[in-house]
Amino acid sequence: MDEAHSFQKSFWKRQGNKVPGSVHVVTAGSTPGGVPSNVVGAQYSYTTLITSKILNKEAQSSASVPSYIGQPGNVSKATPSLDSSKSGHSHPLPPIKNFNVFMQQTDNEWDDALDDVNNSNLPEEEKEVTPDVPVFQKRVHTKTSRPGTPSASETNTPSEQPVQSPRPSESKRKNTNGLKDNIPDLITDPSNLLRSCIQDVDKVDAKYTRFKNILSCSNIDLAALRELSWSGIPADFRPMAWQILLGYLPCNSDRRVATLARKRKEYEDGMTAAYARGTAGLDQTLWHQIHIDIPRTNPGIPLYQSEATQMCLERILYLWSIRHPASGYVQGINDLVTPFFHVFLSMYIDDEAETYDVSLLPKEVLSVIEADSFWCLSKLLDGIQDNYTFAQPGIQRQIATLKELTCRIDAPLAMHLQNEGIEFIQFAFRWINCLLMREISLRNTVRMWDTYLAEGSEGFSEFHVYVCASFLATWSVQLKQMDFQDIMIFLQQVPTSNWKEKDIELLLSQAYMWKSLFHNAPNHLKK
């Protein structure tokens, strides 16, 4: 036990205990076990230590060197030098003045038992420092190295590759939560997003620049914004442009901050009143219908399968329903809120919205997105509310118009549908009730809504009918070769999964052409 304890001590405190592998202190003129006057800090052969007192200079040069100082065949510079200039006579081993001098004269590879030595209590001149001595090849220890020195894994050995520095792109990583940097400014006023838009004119087109110029005005020209938005809105400007086109965000920049703060506070107060007693105090029939419809909303998109997102949509739909008792909640309205939530979320994040985890958002940001989505949904439904009142007269009227329009633009298709016993209400009801959101992807729906909002108050009602007619005519060749059953199956699962933005623009262009021909001349629709 004593030998093991002595082995853990620092080599200069071992006091000559003969532990295997330890340093045995020997001084000139002393007997074994005597108090040493000089400390020898390197290991030599047993013969050298015993006979060092009587060996001459030639015999001293034959002393063996420990293997850890240098490898066979290498000349180690860590061997103590013999200097007799100060004493005036030859001395086998000079005295070691302090630990720093000792480290300069020996190698810095020590046994593992010395690695845990704490030198914090040593005098300043004896504190351990990393010696600046040449090392030809070091042993690689698997245990922990002494504090302040690099571990074996950090030392570049011949078999290791040097650690590469991070690439410049990695040094400027995005926020770990995917959030933009100017979140507080964006919450206060969405027009602050113009500051973070692309500034390099060589990387943007003329349309991008025009959007930025229009939205940067203190009083936005709404007509010019509608005209420019018809062909699509750049993603950077879409959140702000949608809010302005819907009339939620004022065109006058001086009124925006106060208006947004007031509307968001109003929504917060409405939610507090509605949920004052929790879900137990809600209209259970209404709440249950919303609660079971929310998980069915966009089931293939991770964003809308998040519990946090579903809770937001549930609150939005419930509050809208109790504020509009004439219609209440109708299946299909749950789809209409998702584009707003998607677009307004993209204003605060750099990542892809469809796959973003909203639980990473600060609570304040999520509350703002929820409130803005509620008010924009309300603005949208105000223009098509008769689609959701009793007997849904708005949908019935639009289906009748769609049938007349199809007879005019594609009479053979209309005749084939009639011969097969297909009623337009059997497939077109969902097209109008959900604004084709079940037929095309969310990304393409967002692009289509750019045009709908640019059309003004008639975009989601009258213009949508022409889009439905164009959509039906797109599949005319296939439909005319099918029977009743195949037609119904095909129209329930229209193959639009590969549609791109150009396909949506072609659809909208055809709809605009037919609207220009027939909208202001309704008698042309009648035979």
Side-chain angles (χ1 to χ4, degrees):
M1 179 66 69
D2 294 338
E3 292 181 353
H5 178 69
S6 175
F7 181 72
Q8 297 294 333
K9 288 185 178 182
S10 304
F11 63 89
W12 58 85
K13 295 182 181 181
R14 292 179 182 171
Q15 299 181 356
N17 292 332
K18 296 184 178 180
V19 180
S22 65
V23 177
H24 180 46
V25 182
V26 176
T27 58
S30 65
T31 61
V35 179
S37 59
N38 295 318
V39 177
V40 180
Q43 289 183 333
Y44 297 89
S45 67
Y46 182 77
T47 303
T48 304
L49 294 174
I50 296 299
T51 61
S52 60
K53 181 178 179 181
I54 59 175
L55 288 177
N56 56 21
K57 207 168 195 179
E58 291 78 5
Q60 293 170 7
S61 62
S62 63
S64 61
V65 181
S67 60
Y68 64 84
I69 295 180
Q71 295 297 324
N74 292 338
V75 179
S76 175
K77 295 184 181 181
T79 305
S81 61
L82 301 177
D83 185 7
S84 59
S85 59
K86 292 183 179 181
S87 61
H89 62 274
S90 175
H91 195 284
L93 293 173
I96 305 301
K97 295 181 180 181
N98 55 46
F99 187 63
N100 292 339
V101 176
F102 166 76
M103 289 296 293
Q104 293 175 2
Q105 296 179 356
T106 59
D107 189 48
N108 63 349
E109 290 288 340
W110 298 97
D111 191 87
D112 293 337
L114 299 177
D115 290 344
D116 298 328
V117 176
N118 186 356
N119 65 346
S120 59
N121 296 325
L122 292 176
E124 187 66 27
E125 64 274 7
E126 294 188 6
K127 287 189 177 180
E128 179 180 358
V129 295
T130 303
D132 186 13
V133 296
V135 178
F136 294 95
Q137 186 173 353
K138 293 184 178 181
R139 294 181 301 169
V140 179
H141 292 290
T142 57
K143 296 185 179 181
T144 306
S145 61
R146 70 168 68 92
T149 59
S151 62
S153 61
E154 296 172 342
T155 305
N156 292 333
T157 62
S159 61
E160 294 176 333
Q161 295 295 332
V163 179
Q164 297 181 354
S165 59
R167 292 174 296 179
S169 59
E170 294 178 351
S171 62
K172 297 181 179 180
R173 296 181 64 88
K174 296 184 296 185
N175 190 302
T176 54
N177 293 338
L179 298 173
K180 293 184 177 179
D181 296 331
N182 54 338
I183 291 295
D185 295 335
L186 293 176
I187 291 176
T188 304
D189 185 358
S191 61
N192 288 317
L193 64 84
L194 300 176
R195 302 175 184 175
S196 59
C197 294
I198 301 175
Q199 303 294 333
D200 191 350
V201 295
D202 296 332
K203 297 181 180 180
V204 298
D205 53 14
K207 181 179 179 180
Y208 190 98
T209 304
R210 289 183 62 192
F211 261 105
K212 185 174 183 180
N213 293 338
I214 290 176
L215 295 176
S216 299
C217 296
S218 57
N219 284 285
I220 295 176
D221 186 346
L222 190 57
L225 180 61
R226 290 188 188 280
E227 180 181 357
L228 191 59
S229 300
W230 203 100
S231 59
I233 304 173
D236 290 343
F237 307 116
R238 184 173 282 129
M240 181 181 179
W242 275 26
Q243 293 181 6
I244 293 174
L245 292 173
L246 281 164
Y248 172 57
L249 190 67
C251 293
N252 191 322
S253 60
D254 296 335
R255 298 173 48 211
R256 291 173 191 162
V257 175
T259 300
L260 287 178
R262 175 172 52 82
K263 300 298 286 186
R264 290 166 179 171
K265 182 65 166 59
E266 183 179 345
Y267 176 78
E268 181 181 354
D269 293 342
M271 290 304 307
T272 301
Y275 283 81
R277 293 185 296 166
T279 56
L282 304 178
D283 183 330
Q284 292 301 307
T285 303
L286 173 60
W287 178 80
H288 176 71
Q289 185 60 55
I290 296 174
H291 186 69
I292 63 177
D293 281 350
I294 290 299
R296 306 170 185 170
T297 305
N298 293 329
I301 301 178
L303 171 64
Y304 298 103
Q305 300 310 304
S306 168
E307 182 179 358
T309 303
Q310 293 180 357
M311 291 298 296
C312 290
L313 301 184
E314 182 179 300
R315 290 191 293 264
I316 291 171
L317 296 174
Y318 184 83
L319 186 59
W320 184 89
S321 300
I322 63 176
R323 290 170 63 101
H324 298 81
S327 61
Y329 174 74
V330 177
Q331 286 181 319
I333 299 179
N334 56 307
D335 291 307
L336 304 185
V337 70
T338 57
F340 294 119
F341 194 90
H342 178 277
V343 170
F344 298 153
L345 171 63
S346 67
M347 180 166 59
Y348 301 99
I349 64 174
D350 292 317
D351 296 339
E352 175 59 42
E354 292 187 3
T355 58
Y356 187 77
D357 183 6
V358 295
S359 63
L360 301 176
L361 288 174
K363 184 178 180 181
E364 182 181 10
V365 175
L366 190 59
S367 299
V368 166
I369 295 173
E370 182 179 332
D372 293 346
S373 299
F374 169 82
W375 289 115
C376 288
L377 176 67
S378 300
K379 291 285 187 179
L380 167 62
L381 294 178
D382 286 348
I384 56 174
Q385 189 169 358
D386 59 349
N387 287 5
Y388 307 104
T389 55
F390 178 73
Q392 298 178 293
I395 294 179
Q396 300 288 346
R397 183 177 61 253
Q398 292 177 63
I399 290 176
T401 304
L402 175 61
K403 183 177 181 179
E404 294 175 352
L405 185 59
T406 303
C407 291
R408 184 65 175 172
I409 64 178
D410 196 342
L413 175 60
M415 182 61 65
H416 179 71
L417 295 177
Q418 182 178 351
N419 294 338
E420 293 294 332
I422 303 292
E423 295 293 338
F424 275 72
I425 197 172
Q426 294 173 324
F427 63 87
F429 181 88
R430 191 176 76 176
W431 293 5
I432 296 175
N433 185 61
C434 301
L435 299 178
L436 285 175
M437 289 195 61
R438 304 282 179 89
E439 281 64 43
I440 61 178
S441 66
L442 179 61
R443 187 184 302 273
N444 290 330
T445 297
V446 169
R447 167 60 191 92
M448 190 166 66
W449 281 25
D450 290 344
T451 300
Y452 281 13
L453 291 170
E455 283 286 325
S457 58
E458 298 178 352
F460 292 91
S461 54
E462 296 179 0
F463 183 72
H464 180 64
V465 176
Y466 292 94
V467 174
C468 291
S470 177
F471 187 72
L472 180 62
T474 301
W475 317 104
S476 178
V477 176
Q478 295 94 316
L479 293 173
K480 287 186 288 187
Q481 299 174 357
M482 300 178 183
D483 57 12
F484 175 86
Q485 182 177 355
D486 292 337
I487 291 174
M488 294 305 300
I489 294 175
F490 182 86
L491 293 178
Q492 292 295 321
Q493 300 288 337
V494 183
T496 59
S497 58
N498 295 326
W499 274 29
K500 306 297 182 182
E501 185 172 320
K502 63 180 181 180
D503 299 303
I504 297 298
E505 292 177 347
L506 178 60
L507 187 73
L508 295 170
S509 299
Q510 290 178 339
Y512 180 78
M513 178 185 64
W514 287 329
K515 180 187 177 184
S516 302
L517 292 174
F518 300 113
H519 183 62
N520 294 325
N523 290 332
H524 287 283
L525 296 177
K526 299 177 182 179
K527 294 182 179 179

